[in-house]
Structure formats: structure tokens, C-alpha cells
Amino acid sequence: MPPARSYKAQKVIDRFQQKLNRQAMLSLAACVHCGLCTDQCHYVLANPGDPTYAPAYKADRLRKLFKAHVDWTGRLIPRWVGGRSVYSDEELEELKDVVFGKCTNCRRCSLNCPMGVDMASFNRLARGLLVHVGVMPEGVAVVAKDQWEIGNQMGVLKEDYLETLQWMEEELQSEYNDPSIRIPVDKRDAEIVYAINPREAKYDPRTIGEAAAIFHFAGENWTMASEGWDMTNFGLFNGDDELGAACAARVYDAVEGLRGRKLVVSECGHGYRSTRCEGPNWARRDLKFEMESSVVTMLRYIKEGRIAVDKTRNPLPATYHDSCNNARSCGMTEEPRELLRLVTTDFREMYPNRAENFCCTGGGGAMSMSEYAPRRLKSAKVKADQLRATGAKVVVTSCHNCVDGLFDLIRHYKLDMQVKLLVSLVANALTPPERRIKRRPLEGFRILVIDDEPDVRIYLSKLFEENGCAVTDAPDANQAMRAIRAQPPDLITLDLVLPKKTGEKLYWELKKDERFARIPIVVVSGYAAIDHPKIDFHKFIAEKALPPPEGFLEKPVDVEKLIETVHQSLLESRFSG
Amino acid sequence: MHEPSPFLDFAQDKLQIGALLFMALVYSLKIRWILKFPAGRDRQAPSGNPEKNASRGAWYSLLNIAMPWAMPSTRNRPLFYAQFVAFHLGVAASILMSFLIPYAPRTIASAPAVLALQVVFAMACIVGILRLYRRIADPYIRAISSPDDYFSLALLIVWLGFSFLAAPNRPAEGERALIAYFLLTAFFLVYVPFSKISHYLYYPFARWYLGKTLGHRGVYPVQRQEAGA
């Protein structure tokens, strides 16, 4: 006699039979237990000797149900073919531990199965069965609830979202000194409706600003929606097709309501997959508008010459991490690489890559399941080793989920790396003409600050650096001369009151030396004739028949006047030189 | 030419036909059963990559069996793949031999033909033994193995062993090997639809659907770049 079955276990079995489509049924039936998937899983590689992490073993937790209730032989003699039903709530909890805690649905095993068994798809199916009876990690329940109730998975309220957009707009206008930069909201008939990951609105709004700058300088007719702006979809992670349909429909409704021509999805692997690939199936909608990833949009802008980029602004060695959803479920592997090569100077491939890449270990909603964090971080060793081998200082990805997963493992494994999205690199490489003059007027120049007071040296160095230039400093004339001989700067700021040798003397030496005579000098000095009766610079240069300095400013300096003087001197020097 | 005994004659002819008809009937029902499950529909727009589409993806997926370089799981295990080829060649040759012995014995009567068959069967049998050992000794494989996995493999090993013995087809020197081979073949044909050995029935369906979806989405054919490339 089989044991009595719990209510929830019965519901799981009933729903399982309802949800089985042909693809899932074939995947459940076709496995020959060859074990070729075993070492394709990052969990297995990080836990050698533990067969419970093997993809086929994990898949068999659901396959047992299939064998016991659907398969021909299994219904007659279940044990012969490995079939076993579920009876208790404890067994459902065990299944939860496997399908949520030991798999990120990365699909690497699926693409390595000789039989074409799509394990990730039915792992998602198993998650959906459990969610249907309320068996799921708490974090998953919380996020799903937020997405059902508030319309986005991070519970960002509409007023906070709109305020963030407003804030970013003001930041951009200030940064580029351009009041015409806008982040349009609910603009009708726009070419592009831009949908984002709520993580951007909540934790990292810079990426919204960066995307807005790119759209602005590309001259794009674009908008964001005040509703239906979250392109992420927790339905993909928790296996709830109804939630998947609701989230996707919200975004589609927003685009159709605004009569947008194209939906552009910001960088998010699961968001892109959910919105572009799975959403139309879940929502049963045949959509009239186009959809694309912002990666494709940015690449097109550069290729069409709509934005100009300077790759030297991203000089650090960079590698690319393929998001599982982008690479293994949506085929987006080449566009990000093409874009990365256009905006960085040192791109290094990671191995394996593209559809064969390893998961960041934060996928499949893993970042919301804190109870499995130690297990996740242990499995991340595979990714950490991959990253370390590239020697890169920046790991670029095109997925917010991967950003969090990679950030976590970089910290855990103490890697000397930053994580960046492509939009940040493109925005950093952006070269609108206004930017160089108005925002960072001293960019590309080197300045030598000569002053005996440490505070003044630090103050001026910081000020110049903030305005884009490289700075060296010297506390006296002798050290200054050594620095100048080693590498002549583009400009010198000179204090006249220096120990041992005065600034006047140094000025004289420089102007007499034809190697350095053309270096512009801005005198920044606080001497007063009462304190230093012997110093009279104007008289000195007149007596010595020296050319006047390019600028003469008394301390305390007026910052704007100083930057303007330095900037003008540099431009004139460059023009005359 | 020595006339086979009535029992051997029955085993190699009527019994095989009966077993084949049974298998065909069960397979027809099984295909009907597969098609009863509704197929999920792909509504998403094509990837836009001119080199990748649903049809190309489906064919790429179907032909995966002949492309060991296509997946790391087979690319990095050439010996394992060679074993797979040897094993399945042996099974296919044995099935073929069950038709040739009763209906066209001359085609495999020559000494080189017999030797070739025996080499194929021996290799397949050895691979089967290695695979059985792996299934027992490897904790990962043992953990996923059902009684059917062991039994199916053992059945094939024994069958391939008798295929080796039956290949010379000399009933005059004793019919035991031939009778055992044909009885096992008949059992094999009847048992297959209910066991994991029927995976070849699922293969085209499972691969077709996976390839169609992944081709439509631009994943298949897989693009890759290896270190040093």
C-alpha cells in the first residue's frame, strides 16, 4: 500500500500532468543516464564527489514523478525505471532544495546533452509546480509578490521611479551643461520605448543617465513609460507562467499604449529573454512592434555614426562575461563583443565563452535566495578561476543579475576586478563636442604644480585632476627642475616664494632654456611686498627682459579664474606650438 | 547448405516477424502518445541573424549525433565518443544480421565479412562491458541508474556476445549460438519499446524541438571561439 498523499503533493501531481507539453515530456522521457552532463555544471565542479549536484540526478527528482505517473513502463513497474511519486510535504521541501538551491537554470547542461534534453526548462517547470502550492524560498515569494502587486520586482513606487528619472535628467543637464537633455516620460509615437531593470531605479540610477545620454547624443526620439517600465520578469525564475504573462503584458501594453515603434530593453539577461523570447508565449500575444536589446541599439548608433566614441577612455584590460540567458537562450553573443571592441582598448576573451560560458552563479533568481548563498559562492569558484585567468581588470557583462553575482564572487574570491555594464563603457567613451570644453576643460594635459605648501599642492592638484588633467607636483625649485627634465609638462603653476631657490630664479632658468622656454607658466603666489620686500616679480622680468607669464594670480585664487586662465594658456600654447 | 532445424527456422523467421510487428505496433502507439501532448509554440520574432533560423537550428540539432565537436561534453572526450560509435555500430550490425542470416545469408558468408562482423561485435561488446563497469563504479552514474539502465546494458552485452558467436552462421556445427541469438533478438525487439533503449525513438523529436527553438532564437548553430583561436 502506498503511503497517504498530502494535499499539496496531490496538487503538484495534478498540475504536473496539466502543464506537460510535448517538449517537456520529451525531455523527461529521453534521458539515457549517460552522465555526459555531469561535469558541465558549475555546482558539480565546485563539489567534487557529490553526485546530488549532477544535472541528471537533479533532473531525476522530477523525472521520477514523470516515470511514476506518465511513462508507460513506470506506471506498471515504477521502480524498474526509477519512478517514484511524492507523498509528503517534506518531499516537496526536498524537491525545493534541489530545483531552487542547486540549479541556476543556466542551461549549460541542456546544451551539452547528446539527447537534447532541456533540463533547465523542466527545472523551471518543477519550480512552478512548487510555487503553485506555496513551496519556495522566502526571497522568491517576496519578489514575486512585489512584481504581482506593485508592478516591478523591487517594489519601486511610481513616484520614486519618476523622481529618479527627474533626478537623472537634472544630473545630465548639469554634467553636460546642456538643458536640452531630457528623459522623456510617456511621450507618444516615439521611435523607442526604453524599459529598464528596477535595480537601476533603486540602486544604480547612473545607468539610466548613461543610456539617456546615449539616446540624446544619438538624436533619438525616445521615451520611458510611467507604467510597465520593468522589463524583468520573475515568472522566468519561479516558473509561474501566469506571473510571466502578467509582467510581459504590462510592458507590451505600455509600448502599444504609447504607440512606440520599438521596445528597447536595457541590459538584463533574464529581462531580455523574458520580454523578447518567452513573454509573447506566456502572454499569448503576437506583437506588432519590434524588440531589441540596448546592446544592439548602442552598436547600431556607433556603426551609423550617430554617436562618436573614444575607446582610449576605457584603457583597462576588459573581458566579457556572457549572461546565460543572452547566450544560451537568446543567441546574443557577437553584438556585445563587437561593441566592446569599439569602446575599449584592451579586450580579452574569456574561456570558455559564448554559449559555453559558465554561469555567474547569480542567475535563476539565486540572488534573492539568501539561504543558498554559501552554496552559490562555493560553486562560484569555477567562474572566479575563469575570470582570474583573463588577467583583466574589468569584467563587462550585459546583465544586471550577473553584475550582482559577479560582484559577490569577486569580493568573495578577492579578485582585483570591477564589474561594468556595456552602457557604462559606451557612455564613458562618448565624445560629444561640448563635453571636452565645458565639463573637463583640462582633459589630456599634464600640469606641474610647484608650491612649498603641501595643502596648496594638494588643493591645486585635486582641482586640476577634477578638470580632467594629469598632475605632478614639486615642493621646491630643484625637485621641480628634475621633474621638468624627466618629463616636460604642458603647463606649470609656479609659487614665487620657495625655499632655497626662489620662484623668480626658476622662472628665469626655464625661460632661458630653449627646451623649456615654451612651457606656459601661470604664477600662483601669495607673496606680499611687506613680507617679501626683495621679491618684485614684474620688476624682475622687466630687468631680465623675460617674457611675461601666461597668467598671474594671487592667492587665495578664484577657482573659475584659475581654470579659465590655465585652460586658455594651454589652448594658446597648443595653437601656437 | 545445411538446413536449419525447425526451431531455428521458427526463431529466425516467424518469431522475428512477430516481434518486429509487435515493436512496430507499440512504437506507433508511442508516437501517437507523444503527439498527444500539445507542442509549445514560439511566438517571438526571429533573431535577425541571417545564418540562424528555426529550420537550420533543427537540422543542426538533429545532426548533433555526428558532430562530436559541437559540444564540450563530447569534444573533450574523444574516446568516449569513439566508444559510443563502436557500441551503436555493433547494435546496428547485429540488427542487420538478424535479417541477413534468414533472408540473404550469402551476403555475409565470406570469411572477411564474418571477420568484419565479429570485430564490430567484439568491440561493441567490450564497450558495453566498460560502460557497465562505469555505471557500477562511477558514483555519479550509479546515483542516476535504475534497474532498467543496468538490465538494458547487460541485455545488449549478452546479445552482442551471441551476435559474435552467431556471425559465422554455421548451423551444421551447432545451432545453440544461433538459437540464442535469435531468441535474444526477439526478446530485445519486444522489450525495447518499454525500456531506455527506446531513446532512439525520442531522439529525433527531442532534438528537433530543441533545435527549432534555439535556431529561431539565434543560439543554434553554436558559435564558439577556443583559446588560441
Side-chain angles (χ1 to χ4, degrees):
Chain A
M1 270 292 279
R5 186 172 280 127
S6 74
Y7 177 79
K8 287 202 283 193
Q10 186 59 51
K11 293 290 276 183
V12 163
I13 291 162
D14 294 343
R15 193 166 172 84
F16 175 50
Q17 287 167 314
Q18 289 163 14
K19 296 290 288 182
L20 265 186
N21 66 13
R22 196 177 300 161
Q23 285 92 333
M25 173 265 153
L26 286 163
S27 275
L28 287 160
C31 179
V32 289
H33 291 152
C34 68
L36 280 182
C37 55
T38 304
D39 59 3
Q40 304 307 319
C41 173
H42 55 277
Y43 280 106
V44 174
L45 297 174
N47 295 278
D50 186 347
T52 66
Y53 285 102
Y57 182 90
K58 292 181 280 193
D60 271 4
R61 301 312 99 194
L62 186 67
R63 188 171 285 116
K64 282 175 182 295
L65 268 186
F66 173 79
K67 296 280 183 187
H69 293 279
V70 185
D71 180 71
W72 287 11
T73 319
R75 280 156 74 184
L76 289 172
I77 35 172
R79 289 195 183 276
W80 183 250
V81 289
R84 194 178 186 283
S85 190
V86 283
Y87 297 96
S88 65
D89 293 353
E90 288 72 32
E91 285 172 288
L92 297 182
E93 287 292 328
E94 285 168 19
L95 185 59
K96 178 191 88 173
D97 186 69
V98 173
V99 300
F100 284 102
K102 290 185 172 178
C103 176
T104 55
N105 278 1
C106 79
R107 226 178 190 180
R108 196 169 194 272
C109 55
S110 305
L111 265 69
N112 272 283
C113 173
M115 290 297 296
V117 172
D118 192 358
M119 281 164 269
S121 287
F122 67 76
N123 193 68
R124 179 180 175 270
L125 170 67
R127 287 181 175 196
L129 299 176
L130 293 174
V131 164
H132 186 64
V133 293
V135 178
M136 67 193 112
E138 194 178 339
V140 170
V142 169
V143 178
K145 184 171 175 288
D146 275 347
Q147 206 156 22
W148 272 118
E149 283 184 7
I150 302 171
N152 66 82
Q153 62 162 286
M154 291 203 173
V156 179
L157 299 175
K158 184 177 179 180
E159 49 270 36
D160 293 337
Y161 162 71
L162 293 174
E163 207 172 281
T164 304
L165 297 189
Q166 178 71 32
W167 169 40
M168 279 301 106
E169 185 178 276
E170 287 163 9
E171 284 280 310
L172 280 175
Q173 290 172 350
S174 157
E175 181 181 349
Y176 290 97
N177 196 19
D178 182 353
S180 72
I181 300 183
R182 303 293 311 277
I183 298 184
V185 177
D186 288 343
K187 188 166 124 188
R188 284 180 173 264
D189 299 309
E191 187 69 15
I192 281 174
V193 178
Y194 185 55
I196 60 167
N197 183 319
R199 179 184 175 277
E200 299 180 74
K202 192 161 183 173
Y203 297 118
D204 195 6
R206 285 172 309 166
T207 50
I208 302 173
E210 288 161 349
I214 292 165
F215 285 132
H216 173 77
F217 290 113
E220 188 59 85
N221 173 17
W222 72 292
T223 190
M224 293 180 80
S226 61
E227 299 281 356
W229 51 269
D230 173 12
M231 52 70 181
T232 68
N233 196 322
F234 219 69
L236 182 72
F237 292 156
N238 76 354
D240 181 351
D241 289 350
E242 281 75 24
L243 176 60
C247 297
R250 255 184 224 135
V251 180
Y252 304 152
D253 288 345
V255 179
E256 287 173 355
L258 294 170
R259 299 194 301 253
R261 203 184 72 74
K262 184 185 277 183
L263 171 63
V264 170
V265 175
S266 82
E267 291 178 83
C268 176
H270 99 266
Y272 180 60
R273 178 180 169 189
S274 302
T275 309
R276 191 184 183 282
C277 302
E278 312 291 357
N281 300 330
W282 292 330
R284 298 183 185 181
R285 298 260 290 257
D286 293 306
L287 301 164
K288 300 282 183 289
F289 57 85
E290 291 176 41
M291 281 188 262
E292 74 182 13
S293 160
S294 60
V295 173
V296 177
T297 314
M298 292 187 286
L299 181 61
R300 197 178 57 245
Y301 287 162
I302 296 175
K303 282 179 164 178
E304 290 173 356
R306 290 174 67 176
I307 55 172
V309 286
D310 173 9
K311 62 160 76 176
T312 62
R313 295 170 64 96
N314 293 314
L316 289 176
T319 188
Y320 184 70
H321 162 78
D322 290 276
S323 130
C324 302
N325 283 310
N326 280 342
R328 275 190 280 273
S329 292
C330 300
M332 194 171 71
T333 55
E334 304 315 302
E335 297 89 343
R337 285 176 169 76
E338 205 180 338
L339 185 55
L340 202 46
R341 287 194 174 95
L342 290 169
V343 297
T344 59
T345 54
D346 186 357
F347 169 62
R348 300 171 179 195
E349 193 59 90
M350 190 189 305
Y351 299 99
N353 53 55
R354 296 174 168 83
E356 295 178 359
N357 189 29
F358 281 103
C359 179
C360 70
T361 68
M367 300 307 290
S368 64
M369 307 174 209
S370 54
E371 60 270 57
Y372 302 128
R375 205 184 276 176
R376 170 171 60 80
L377 284 167
K378 187 178 179 194
S379 76
K381 184 177 181 307
V382 180
K383 189 82 237 172
D385 290 344
Q386 249 192 308
L387 291 174
R388 197 179 283 115
T390 65
K393 294 288 174 199
V394 182
V395 52
V396 185
T397 186
S398 194
C399 171
H400 277 274
N401 221 14
C402 295
V403 167
D404 288 340
L406 293 169
F407 181 79
D408 235 16
L409 77 87
I410 284 171
R411 199 173 44 184
H412 185 77
Y413 288 97
K414 299 182 173 55
L415 304 181
D416 179 21
M417 269 185 155
Q418 314 166 36
V419 191
K420 288 198 171 175
L421 287 164
L422 271 161
V423 69
S424 302
L425 294 179
V426 174
N428 192 48
L430 211 51
T431 55
E434 306 92 306
R435 191 174 186 179
R436 284 185 179 281
I437 300 162
K438 291 179 177 162
R439 173 66 183 161
R440 293 161 70 89
L442 308 183
E443 204 162 288
F445 294 107
R446 279 184 307 101
I447 292 179
L448 172 64
V449 174
I450 307 170
D451 202 301
D452 61 333
E453 293 176 53
D455 289 350
V456 175
R457 287 202 306 276
I458 291 168
Y459 172 72
L460 290 179
S461 298
K462 206 169 165 204
L463 183 66
F464 292 144
E465 278 169 356
E466 279 171 1
N467 281 277
C469 69
V471 183
T472 49
D473 61 49
D476 59 51
N478 293 334
Q479 286 192 45
M481 246 358 247
R482 280 199 290 276
I484 293 164
R485 283 194 194 104
Q487 194 173 23
D490 296 309
L491 183 140
I492 293 167
T493 66
L494 177 65
D495 183 15
L496 295 176
V497 183
L498 296 173
K500 300 171 194 165
K501 192 194 287 179
T502 65
E504 282 177 336
K505 186 84 188 295
L506 180 63
Y507 187 87
W508 179 76
E509 283 178 12
L510 289 170
K511 291 300 172 189
K512 292 301 246 186
D513 189 327
E514 61 179 23
R515 291 173 298 169
F516 310 126
R518 296 172 75 88
I519 298 173
I521 296 176
V522 175
V523 174
V524 181
S525 197
Y527 79 91
I530 295 171
D531 298 333
H532 304 281
K534 289 183 183 172
I535 298 178
D536 186 337
F537 186 67
H538 299 291
K539 192 178 165 191
F540 175 77
I541 57 173
E543 283 176 3
K544 299 285 182 187
L546 295 170
E550 277 69 17
F552 190 99
L553 300 170
E554 286 193 25
K555 293 176 186 170
V557 290
D558 178 310
V559 171
E560 275 186 29
K561 198 173 174 188
L562 173 66
I563 296 298
E564 181 59 26
T565 305
V566 168
H567 181 231
Q568 278 303 322
S569 306
L570 285 164
L571 288 184
E572 281 165 18
S573 160
R574 177 168 281 185
F575 183 71
S576 63
Chain B
M1 186 99 182
H2 179 84
E3 284 296 312
S5 69
F7 185 70
L8 177 58
D9 188 45
F10 166 77
Q12 69 181 19
D13 185 15
K14 290 191 174 61
L15 182 64
Q16 298 305 311
I17 291 169
L20 272 170
L21 285 173
F22 177 79
M23 190 179 80
L25 174 71
V26 178
Y27 273 167
S28 307
L29 293 172
K30 210 152 195 180
I31 289 171
R32 214 176 128 219
W33 175 68
I34 292 170
L35 297 177
K36 228 174 63 182
F37 291 89
R41 187 182 152 192
D42 287 334
R43 289 172 194 262
Q44 72 270 18
S47 69
N49 185 334
E51 291 172 13
K52 299 182 182 190
N53 56 50
S55 162
R56 189 141 187 235
W59 281 107
Y60 172 84
S61 180
L62 272 175
L63 296 173
N64 177 277
I65 195 168
M67 297 188 294
W69 59 87
M71 304 184 299
S73 58
T74 45
R75 188 192 315 140
N76 301 330
R77 292 187 181 86
L79 191 63
F80 195 89
Y81 184 78
Q83 287 179 11
F84 154 81
V85 173
F87 188 71
H88 285 80
L89 263 180
V91 173
S94 185
I95 291 169
L96 181 67
M97 191 172 78
S98 72
F99 288 95
L100 294 178
I101 288 179
Y103 307 120
R106 288 179 188 281
T107 52
I108 50 169
S110 67
V114 171
L115 181 66
L117 277 174
Q118 285 189 314
V119 167
V120 170
F121 295 143
M123 280 171 56
C125 192
I126 291 165
V127 169
I129 292 165
L130 289 172
R131 291 290 172 94
L132 187 59
Y133 172 75
R134 174 175 174 262
R135 195 164 282 286
I136 295 165
D138 185 329
Y140 288 99
I141 310 299
R142 195 169 58 234
I144 54 174
S145 296
S146 66
D148 176 45
D149 291 323
Y150 293 109
F151 180 76
S152 296
L153 195 46
L155 173 68
L156 286 168
I157 292 166
V158 174
W159 181 55
L160 286 163
F162 277 105
S163 303
F164 178 88
L165 297 174
N169 188 22
R170 289 180 196 132
E173 294 171 18
E175 291 187 347
R176 278 185 196 166
L178 281 162
I179 288 172
Y181 165 69
F182 281 109
L183 288 180
L184 276 170
T185 306
F187 178 74
F188 172 77
L189 294 174
V190 171
Y191 178 68
V192 161
F194 303 99
S195 76
K196 70 171 274 187
I197 307 171
S198 62
H199 63 276
Y200 61 84
L201 185 74
Y202 298 120
Y203 179 91
F205 288 98
R207 277 252 152 238
W208 178 266
Y209 283 112
L210 182 72
K212 195 166 148 265
T213 299
L214 294 184
H216 185 62
R217 293 183 183 188
V219 180
Y220 275 176
V222 166
Q223 205 158 345
R224 64 190 173 87
Q225 185 192 332
E226 293 200 61

